[in-house]
Amino acid sequence: MKLKGKYSESAVLYAVILSVAAVISIAVFVVVFNIMGGKMPEIGTKPAETTTTAASETEAPEPQAYEPDRELADEMKDAVISLISDNYTVLRLYYIRGLSHKDEPYGNAPEDGYFSVDSDKYTSLGQIEDIVDRTFTKDFAEEIKTDPLGYGAIYKTRDNGELGIIANYTPMEYNRSWENPKFEIEPKSDTECGISLKLHEKADDSVVRVKGDMIKTDDGWRLTSIIF
């Protein structure tokens, strides 16, 4: 029998179910809230976009090697042929051989420290220094003419007007052959060019590669240092 004004049994059961659902909802909210680090989720926001450095940066193009036009390349090659020939002449005159000389009367040591040169080919200082000047840059040419081996000028004009060679000339030890040297140019710009030269060791004929550089000056192409 139902009593008027009292909840029915089904109504009590429905209330119990609602209470349990509310408790579960609260528990789920607490778990989610803790997972979110104590922050409420924002409605309508998108996750932050991330990009890697490799993807965001534009790759720089590789630098292209310098290539002279045909006319300039031929000019460089012609210059090298002339310069390495003069380089070898200067190498022999100043560094590895020197010129023969005449003895002083009675075998005395020369008072000025220089013997007179005994050569039909080279008879004046100007002849030798002209070769140096047309082969090397001004700074290096000056070094060759004044102190190439560390003990002063190798040649000078003596008081009697003759070409003189320093009395204590001591050639540097050198055992490479310059017979038919092969070369390659390595252009760097319109006014700079590397030189790769193939020589041979005299002892076993093994190949030796040596490097040099030349630059274009107002007077033409010049080596920046002696190649040996």
Side-chain angles (χ1 to χ4, degrees):
M1 180 178 70
K2 296 181 181 180
L3 297 176
K4 188 177 182 180
K6 297 291 184 179
Y7 294 105
S8 65
E9 292 178 358
S10 60
V12 174
L13 180 59
Y14 179 73
V16 171
I17 292 172
L18 288 178
S19 299
V20 172
V23 171
I24 293 174
S25 297
I26 293 171
V28 171
F29 174 81
V30 171
V31 171
V32 172
F33 184 81
N34 289 331
I35 292 174
M36 294 293 291
K39 296 181 179 180
M40 293 296 293
E42 296 179 5
I43 306 300
T45 59
K46 295 181 179 180
E49 296 181 356
T50 59
T51 57
T52 62
T53 302
S56 61
E57 293 181 353
T58 303
E59 294 184 1
E62 295 183 2
Q64 295 183 348
Y66 168 80
E67 292 186 10
D69 58 32
R70 176 60 63 86
E71 182 179 357
L72 181 56
D74 289 342
E75 179 186 313
M76 290 175 171
K77 291 176 183 177
D78 290 342
V80 171
I81 293 172
S82 176
L83 289 173
I84 62 175
S85 176
D86 284 342
N87 176 89
Y88 181 57
T89 299
V90 173
L91 182 65
R92 286 164 54 91
L93 287 171
Y94 283 84
Y95 294 88
I96 65 175
R97 181 166 296 185
L99 291 172
S100 300
H101 68 267
K102 305 171 187 177
D103 289 334
E104 292 288 284
Y106 309 108
N108 293 329
E111 293 182 1
D112 62 355
Y114 286 77
F115 288 112
S116 291
V117 167
D118 185 11
S119 171
D120 294 331
K121 185 175 183 179
Y122 300 106
T123 59
S124 72
L125 182 62
Q127 283 179 288
I128 296 177
E129 292 190 342
D130 282 348
I131 301 172
V132 176
D133 290 335
R134 75 187 185 207
T135 307
F136 300 96
T137 57
K138 289 183 179 180
D139 288 345
F140 195 77
E142 188 64 20
E143 179 180 324
I144 292 175
K145 291 184 288 186
T146 58
D147 193 18
L149 295 174
Y151 47 83
I154 303 301
Y155 300 99
K156 80 167 191 174
T157 301
R158 302 190 71 189
D159 292 340
N160 60 7
E162 294 181 336
L163 174 63
I165 182 170
I166 196 165
N168 63 338
Y169 177 73
T170 306
M172 61 183 283
E173 184 176 347
Y174 191 78
N175 296 300
R176 292 174 180 172
S177 171
W178 279 70
E179 185 175 356
N180 298 320
K182 306 297 182 183
F183 74 87
E184 295 178 357
I185 62 170
E186 301 170 352
K188 301 175 183 178
S189 72
D190 289 352
T191 58
E192 299 175 285
C193 182
I195 303 168
S196 178
L197 197 64
K198 185 169 71 174
L199 306 177
H200 291 84
E201 292 286 0
K202 291 180 179 179
D204 56 8
D205 203 38
S206 59
V207 175
V208 180
R209 289 194 176 274
V210 294
K211 298 280 189 177
D213 290 288
M214 66 178 186
I215 61 173
K216 192 170 186 177
T217 70
D218 293 338
D219 298 319
W221 290 94
R222 297 290 187 270
L223 296 176
T224 60
S225 64
I226 190 81
I227 300 175
F228 61 90

